[in-house]
Amino acid sequence: MTKAFDLDNCDQALNSNLPIPPDHEFYTEFGLVRGDFKERVIYRTLNVNTSGDEPTFDFRKNLTNKTLLFLGGMRGSGKTSQLAKYASYLNNPKCFYCVTCNIDDELDMNDVEYMDILIFQAEKLAKRLQEESIELGEDAVKALNIWFTDRVKEINTKFTASGNIEVGVEAGFGIPSLFKLFSSVKTSIGRGKEQAEIVRSTFRNRFPDFATRFNNFVDEANRVIRDRHLGQEILFIVDGLEKAMTADIRKKLVIDESNRIRLIKANTIFTLPIELMKERQKLKNFSEVYSFPFIKIKDRQGQIQIDAYNALEEFITKRIDRDLFESEDVIKKAIEYSGGSPRQLLQILEKACYFTDPQLNKITTNDLEEALNLMGKDLGAYLTKEKIELLK
């Protein structure tokens, strides 16, 4: 994506589905304009010291103290970009070895379970270790490989009986063979409900044993990355839970699987579907839960917050040249109608571009109003009288 200097390039510049990493020209810092949300609370929860030139983590003080953190917020609030910022900032030899797992990129969000995510985490860790030519102690890798291979043999026996394609098994006991084994299991889950249930049930039935093997794998990786001066401990960042297609799936992933989640002893940040924030008291029994809000563009009296407005104006003008707007009022009105949601702001401007006059090469107030009217009608079509009263 590149900055748009004409209307023809606005569509790619306003893409609201691509998260922006901290090193991208579009990245905008919203850390100080999210109301009560403070990044330093997240860092302290992770036991990270941010007082120096770079963040540090003392593994000796946290040998048995692994942080599990849920970050809940509406879709479009910027959680993915925020997590990318954490991964970039915290990934250093004196702090964490960050492993980001975007589950919506590689798992079936129509049919996903916690077991799938945990196998995906193991695969992503093994992949990064392999890419960086890191070998773990032979005993730890061999033990996990043998355990997984035995489970795959169980699965293949069931697959053969039901006529399904067997899971491939790699020879050897190194990280490359372990990575291929995890990948094969993950791929098998994606081949259909019947195969997925066979794989999941095989691991579910032995989950305490699986959790122990997974924890030992992470502990051994922690030891080696410290020796290689790549980080002090692993931090998993698991993004995309809110993109599971149904509320039942999302609840099952987090609430119904909480007893299994708490058996995993690894520093982890999960995104939390917004409707599950009401369950935070249950989650706080074994984790920390924080709300990640939209940008606060107005106070309770309806007055615009200048810092927030300026941040969102920067967010827009990094993507679209100012000369493409008829006036500053177009930008201001788009910001106000976004409600402080970066994604909604992009979508409003994207729709406004549909109504522009190519000869004028400007986004006008009239274009914006037509876009808002269209979006309002689309939303209104799904609102009942009772829902409108509730909103009011």
Side-chain angles (χ1 to χ4, degrees), residues 96-109:
F96 287 122
Y97 185 83
C98 295
V99 178
T100 299
C101 307
N102 295 310
I103 66 171
D104 54 309
D105 287 343
E106 299 189 46
L107 300 182
D108 180 2
M109 303 310 287

Side-chain angles (χ1 to χ4, degrees), residues 165-185:
I165 301 172
E166 293 188 359
V167 180
V169 179
E170 290 288 327
F173 296 113
I175 288 295
S177 61
L178 198 57
F179 166 62
K180 290 179 181 177
L181 187 57
F182 293 148
S183 297
S184 294
V185 172

Side-chain angles (χ1 to χ4, degrees), residues 27-302:
Y27 183 80
T28 305
E29 180 55 64
F30 293 124
L32 300 178
V33 291
R34 292 190 184 273
D36 294 333
F37 179 82
K38 300 292 183 279
E39 288 184 5
R40 64 176 179 271
V41 175
I42 301 296
Y43 297 139
R44 287 301 303 134
T45 301
L46 291 167
N47 299 302
V48 171
N49 186 329
T50 59
S51 61
D53 294 335
E54 58 184 2
T56 60
F57 174 84
D58 190 340
F59 78 93
R60 297 175 189 83
K61 295 179 180 178
N62 297 283
L63 290 174
T64 59
N65 183 29
K66 310 305 178 188
T67 300
L68 175 59
L69 189 157
F70 287 96
L71 190 64
M74 294 288 287
R75 289 190 66 177
S77 58
K79 294 188 301 300
T80 296
S81 291
Q82 187 75 10
L83 293 175
K85 176 184 176 181
Y86 294 157
S88 175
Y89 177 62
L90 298 174
N91 191 83
N92 76 67
K94 296 181 180 179
C95 198
F96 287 122
Y97 185 83
C98 295
V99 178
T100 299
C101 307
N102 295 310
I103 66 171
D104 54 309
D105 287 343
E106 299 189 46
L107 300 182
D108 180 2
M109 303 310 287
N110 288 299
D111 179 30
V112 59
E113 293 190 8
Y114 176 61
M115 189 64 59
D116 311 351
I117 295 172
L118 195 56
I119 291 170
F120 184 42
Q121 288 179 240
E123 180 199 21
K124 295 293 281 189
L125 173 56
K127 181 179 181 181
R128 184 170 176 192
L129 294 173
Q130 177 179 305
E131 290 173 345
E132 298 179 356
S133 301
I134 297 172
E135 280 293 346
L136 307 187
E138 182 179 347
D139 291 343
V141 176
K142 186 175 182 179
L144 185 60
N145 202 314
I146 290 173
W147 190 88
F148 249 84
T149 299
D150 287 344
R151 302 293 75 72
V152 167
K153 289 177 180 177
E154 289 182 41
I155 292 166
N156 282 340
T157 298
K158 297 173 185 175
F159 278 2
T160 300
S162 58
N164 287 301
I165 301 172
E166 293 188 359
V167 180
V169 179
E170 290 288 327
F173 296 113
I175 288 295
S177 61
L178 198 57
F179 166 62
K180 290 179 181 177
L181 187 57
F182 293 148
S183 297
S184 294
V185 172
K186 186 193 76 175
T187 299
S188 185
I189 290 172
R191 287 194 181 125
K193 287 186 176 294
E194 183 182 11
Q195 285 196 223
E197 181 52 32
I198 290 173
V199 175
R200 290 165 179 162
S201 62
T202 301
F203 286 102
R204 270 200 307 264
N205 292 340
R206 296 174 176 266
F207 191 84
D209 197 16
F210 178 29
T212 298
R213 304 287 179 174
F214 182 92
N215 294 337
N216 290 343
F217 176 46
V218 173
D219 285 345
E220 174 63 11
N222 285 336
R223 182 188 68 79
V224 174
I225 63 173
R226 281 195 292 270
D227 290 346
R228 293 278 299 269
H229 305 291
L230 297 171
Q232 298 301 298
E233 279 194 2
I234 293 161
L235 171 64
F236 288 105
I237 298 176
V238 182
D239 188 22
L241 269 70
E242 73 279 12
K243 296 175 185 174
M245 288 303 178
T246 69
D248 286 342
I249 292 176
R250 296 191 292 270
K251 180 177 180 294
K252 187 176 181 180
L253 279 173
V254 180
I255 305 303
D256 297 351
E257 293 281 9
S258 59
N259 287 334
R260 291 192 176 98
I261 292 173
R262 65 203 306 172
L263 290 178
I264 301 303
K265 306 303 180 184
N267 298 300
T268 309
I269 301 176
F270 283 107
T271 52
L272 182 68
I274 188 64
E275 76 272 11
L276 296 181
M277 285 296 289
K278 65 180 182 291
E279 307 279 1
R280 57 186 175 274
Q281 291 306 319
K282 293 179 183 178
L283 296 175
K284 284 184 176 181
N285 289 328
F286 62 94
S287 66
E288 293 291 340
V289 184
Y290 295 110
S291 175
F292 187 71
F294 284 148
I295 295 153
K296 306 300 182 183
I297 58 175
K298 289 185 178 181
D299 62 21
R300 291 183 180 275
Q301 288 70 47

Side-chain angles (χ1 to χ4, degrees), residues 5 20 74-75 308 321 323 351 373:
F5 291 92
I20 301 301
M74 294 288 287
R75 289 190 66 177
D321 190 70
D323 288 342
K351 287 289 192 298
N373 185 48

